[in-house]
Amino acid sequence: LQGTYVGFQTLLALAGFYEEDEVKQGMAEDSELVINAEDEEDQTEIKIVGLGLGRTGTTSLAMALEILGYTVVHDDEQTELTDLFDAEEEEVIDIDELHEILGLRGYNATFKTAGYNWVADNPDVKAILTVRDNPDKYVDSWLVAAPFIEILRQKPFCWLN
């Protein structure tokens, strides 16, 4: 029964049942890209970009940057920034404007929004590349974190075998 409950909750989450109203507002077609008044005192600019793939130490590095006082865009901030991601995807803003707005919202480090080309075009931004020591450890790390094969062997996916 626990598996059924978890599966049902997962389906509800994927269907958007648990979305926060603030997130839904940010994704509305007529919504504006808002800079909240409480963010004004924290306004900054992107200073550090993490360029590593997932499972290469980006979470540990993000935590270290937070200890040093940076405000980091990593995994947990995704729902707070859906309006920006949507605007960039729909070409309402470009990547430079995305990073400018992130800075205005108080973020000064990102692991999710910039790539090599953006860093190359912004020489004042420092880039940190995280890597695994070898490909086997990288694959093993993903297999532990996301056991896709084991999931596919369980109901309701076991018919795929």
Side-chain angles (χ1 to χ4, degrees):
L1 285 174
Q2 179 66 22
T4 303
Y5 175 77
V6 171
F8 182 70
Q9 294 300 315
T10 301
L11 288 173
L12 289 176
L14 290 172
F17 184 76
Y18 295 120
E19 286 182 349
E20 299 174 16
D21 289 336
E22 184 178 310
V23 171
K24 287 181 180 179
Q25 179 184 7
M27 293 176 67
E29 287 185 27
D30 60 343
S31 67
E32 295 179 21
L33 299 173
V34 178
I35 308 298
N36 294 324
E38 62 265 15
D39 291 337
E40 287 183 15
E41 65 188 45
D42 297 323
Q43 289 181 350
T44 184
E45 59 188 25
I46 297 296
K47 298 176 183 176
I48 296 179
V49 170
L51 295 177
L53 296 173
R55 312 303 307 160
T56 61
T58 58
T59 301
S60 298
L61 182 56
M63 292 172 63
L65 289 170
E66 287 174 353
I67 290 169
L68 293 172
Y70 289 90
T71 305
V72 182
V73 176
H74 192 249
D75 290 333
D76 296 338
E77 296 75 24
Q78 297 294 320
T79 58
E80 299 168 19
L81 303 173
T82 54
D83 60 330
L84 287 180
F85 295 135
D86 187 49
E88 201 253 338
E89 177 74 24
E90 298 294 323
E91 298 180 355
V92 174
I93 61 174
D94 63 22
I95 194 73
D96 291 321
E97 292 168 313
L98 171 82
H99 289 106
E100 180 182 352
I101 295 169
L102 284 173
L104 293 174
R105 290 187 181 179
Y107 294 98
N108 53 10
T110 179
F111 284 79
K112 296 293 181 181
T113 61
Y116 169 80
N117 291 334
W118 189 81
V119 173
D121 291 341
N122 294 275
D124 292 338
V125 174
K126 304 301 180 205
I128 302 172
L129 175 63
T130 55
V131 296
R132 289 303 290 233
D133 32 353
N134 69 53
D136 291 332
K137 288 186 178 181
Y138 180 74
V139 170
D140 290 345
S141 177
W142 269 111
L143 290 175
V144 169
F148 297 113
I149 301 302
E150 291 304 316
I151 291 171
L152 292 176
R153 290 184 181 138
Q154 299 173 9
K155 290 181 181 180
F157 305 107
C158 59
W159 59 271
L160 294 172
N161 287 337

